Amino acid sequence: MTNAADQLFVLLLGGTLEPTPRFKAAIDGARFIAADGGMRHATTLGITPEAWVGDFDSTTPQELAAWSHVPREPYPTAKNATDGEIAVSAALARGAQRLILAGGLGGERSDHALMHLLHAAALKADGCDIMLSSGLEEAWPLPPGRTTIELPENSLFSILGLTALSGLSIENVRYPLNAFDLPFGSSRTVSNVALGAVTLTLDAGLAVLLARPYDLSGA
């Protein structure tokens, strides 16, 4: 369970979400905020968010009626931020120390999914502890420094460079790297296999680790 000094918020976004055991363990003890059509995941998870934000253009009248007891923070359709970014701001205003963007990957809107990744990378660079999950996939922003991510043995993952990367080291994997300089746009770090917890070190640049914890096809 989380405490006030380590407050976890799960933001329900509009992408796909599979309530896998790993995902359920990750959200244990969390507080929840729904962003527009992401409220549909509340039924799947059996939870009630403490707030519902957005312009509600992706929400049906039936959903509005079913969740009428949840406090709403409406925004106009012609706004300067996505519903996901608004949900992040709402969580941070409530004292969030850690964020999980549930439904932040996949879905019908690739532009929103990519924006969630970029926004998460910017937040991580500013010191926010954040990840994205669809239940079957997870994304972890990687700023410069040393990061360890717990992954199941033999699960697939990739490192995607959002910029050119300098001094990238990857440990406890099938295909390790040591102080490698990855050119921007290179696919060299796609489709690696975790041997357990993966430790990454990055001297400069910005990257994302995209993992498939239930995909053991690389075993």
Side-chain angles (χ1 to χ4, degrees):
M1 300 291 287
T2 57
N3 55 49
D6 189 30
Q7 189 61 253
L8 170 64
F9 274 75
V10 175
L11 310 182
L12 305 181
L13 306 182
T16 57
L17 184 62
E18 179 74 23
T20 59
R22 181 177 168 91
F23 177 78
K24 289 182 178 180
I27 68 172
D28 183 43
R31 296 166 65 179
F32 294 84
I33 294 175
D36 199 348
M39 178 61 92
R40 72 183 188 276
H41 301 311
T43 299
T44 302
L45 298 175
I47 58 90
T48 299
E50 62 186 70
W52 193 3
V53 304
D55 56 18
F56 301 101
D57 64 346
S58 300
T59 303
T60 67
Q62 293 78 12
E63 289 168 334
L64 288 171
W67 296 98
S68 61
H69 55 291
V70 176
R72 296 179 199 167
E73 298 177 15
Y75 288 78
T77 301
K79 58 189 187 304
N80 296 322
T82 64
D83 294 329
E85 185 174 349
I86 290 169
V88 167
S89 296
L92 295 176
R94 288 167 168 80
Q97 300 296 315
R98 297 188 293 139
L99 297 174
I100 294 178
L101 306 189
L105 300 169
E108 297 179 356
R109 295 288 302 268
S110 296
D111 54 346
H112 279 253
L114 289 171
M115 193 66 246
H116 295 325
L117 277 172
L118 295 174
H119 188 205
L123 290 166
K124 182 67 174 182
D126 288 338
C128 180
D129 188 347
I130 186 168
M131 68 167 287
L132 303 87
S133 180
S134 70
L136 295 176
E137 289 189 313
E138 298 170 354
W140 306 79
L142 301 173
R146 187 175 178 86
T147 304
T148 297
I149 297 175
E150 295 287 341
L151 292 177
E153 186 175 0
N154 294 321
S155 59
L156 285 177
F157 75 94
S158 297
I159 304 295
L160 308 180
L162 302 180
T163 66
L165 305 180
S166 299
L168 174 65
S169 296
I170 312 175
E171 304 172 42
N172 199 36
V173 298
R174 181 172 297 173
Y175 309 111
L177 288 177
N178 182 38
F180 183 76
D181 293 337
L182 183 74
F184 179 59
S186 172
S187 62
R188 171 69 181 272
T189 51
V190 171
S191 295
N192 209 329
V193 180
L195 302 181
V198 176
T199 297
L200 307 105
T201 306
L202 182 61
D203 289 342
L206 195 61
V208 170
L209 185 152
L210 187 61
R212 296 176 55 83
Y214 288 93
D215 186 344
L216 306 181
S217 60

